[in-house]
Amino acid sequence: MAEVVIVPDAARAGVLVAEEIVRLITRRPDAVLGVATGSTPLPVYEALRERVGGVDVSLLRAFALDEYVGIDPDHPESYRNVIRREVVEPLGLDPERVRVPAGALMGIETAGEEYEEAIASAGGIDLQILGIGTDGHIGFNEPGSSFASRTRVKTLTQQTREDNARFFESVDDVPEHCITQGLGTILAARHLVLLAFGAGKAEAVAGAIEGPVTASVPGSAIQLHSHVTVVVDEAAASALRFGDYYRYAWSHKPAWQGL
Ligand code: PGA
């Protein structure tokens, strides 16, 4: 099962995950990181920024989970720009080694397949950072997504468009389509690290970790993976049945194990 770590706040989660990423890069300088957008991973990137001074990140490679389809690539909220602003520039990564799915309409038919080939030729993703949507999505795999799915175009739910409207002038400006790594793509990463903060995520988190494995809750796909770390604050953990056990297991974890 997933290891569930309940932390006091998002900043502590950021430090825990950043330390694990630094361990990975130290062990393997050309590691492949799976990066996510949205508000959730920001504390990880912030904690990483404070730690990369002492680590050589020149060979690090990264793949983003998803992108809006048809968005102007120069729009500040295109994920290409978000990843450049939040990850590539602050961490000093080589932009040539960081990929985001191509959301341009021209060539969209083959963009998913090309992205899968790029991930495969990088040797696969070592550590994938994930957020979770209030509707249970991971990446932009909305409810009903196949557990075998690979990178492809999806239609966003109205819920997701409303959740993301805060990044745009209005909900009408949020694109209707996206290109996202599939659940099958995500499950092929070697270590999944899912983060969630706030009471608004409590139900999605409980469904993903403790609910039935079902395409209706795409996040529940993580139950099929052998190495998953879920890092949540108290509010996001509030609907978990086995919270006491997760706290007990974490406080008794042998120090050598890492995440
Ligand atoms: P958020 O989005 O981090 O902005 O809450 C998470 C997600 O939609 O996966």
Side-chain angles (χ1 to χ4, degrees):
M1 66 169 241
E3 171 169 55
V4 182
V5 187
I6 302 169
V7 291
D9 52 39
R12 178 68 200 137
V15 169
L16 261 185
V17 177
E19 285 175 348
E20 180 66 15
I21 293 171
V22 167
R23 274 193 290 275
L24 170 67
I25 305 170
T26 308
R27 206 166 58 233
R28 207 182 139 197
D30 65 344
V32 183
L33 204 55
V35 287
T37 49
S39 309
T40 306
L42 297 179
V44 176
Y45 304 142
E46 198 177 317
L48 254 183
R49 196 175 321 149
E50 290 161 9
R51 283 163 179 76
V52 287
V55 196
D56 178 10
V57 292
S58 63
L59 296 177
L60 186 65
R61 293 166 294 176
F63 287 88
L65 278 171
D66 42 24
E67 175 61 290
Y68 293 113
V69 167
I71 194 170
D72 177 351
D74 294 328
H75 191 293
E77 295 304 327
S78 76
Y79 285 171
R80 192 183 77 130
N81 272 327
V82 173
I83 292 290
R84 182 183 47 70
R85 194 167 66 232
E86 308 287 1
V87 181
V88 176
E89 289 176 356
L91 301 184
L93 304 190
D94 176 356
E96 298 291 315
R97 299 172 83 81
V98 179
R99 296 258 320 231
V100 178
L105 291 173
M106 179 99 82
I108 195 68
E109 300 85 347
T110 51
E113 213 171 301
E114 284 159 15
Y115 203 62
E116 289 288 329
E117 280 162 17
I119 293 173
S121 63
I125 291 168
D126 291 304
L127 185 152
Q128 176 65 57
I129 299 168
L130 296 168
I132 186 164
T134 57
D135 66 357
H137 71 216
I138 52 174
F140 268 144
N141 293 281
E142 301 288 30
S145 294
S146 161
F147 282 6
S149 53
R150 310 303 297 206
T151 306
R152 74 231 181 277
V153 172
K154 288 288 289 181
T155 306
L156 296 173
T157 61
Q158 193 54 23
Q159 176 71 57
T160 298
R161 294 183 69 228
E162 282 164 18
D163 287 348
N164 288 8
R166 67 189 192 280
F167 297 116
F168 294 83
E169 273 181 23
S170 84
V171 67
D172 298 330
D173 295 328
V174 183
E176 288 165 350
H177 295 96
C178 63
I179 175 166
T180 179
Q181 284 189 33
L183 294 174
T185 319
I186 292 170
L187 289 174
R190 288 181 269 281
H191 181 191
L192 303 182
V193 178
L194 186 145
L195 300 113
F197 309 118
K201 298 291 176 71
E203 204 186 316
V205 165
I209 302 170
E210 296 177 342
V213 174
T214 167
S216 300
V217 181
S220 68
I222 65 171
Q223 295 179 45
L224 300 172
H225 195 285
S226 61
H227 189 187
V228 183
T229 310
V230 178
V231 188
V232 285
D233 65 5
E234 292 285 348
S238 58
L240 290 170
R241 264 178 76 194
F242 303 113
D244 288 344
Y245 172 67
Y246 306 138
R247 287 188 189 85
Y248 176 83
W250 175 248
S251 65
H252 288 78
K253 182 169 174 148
W256 55 265
Q257 275 185 336
L259 283 187

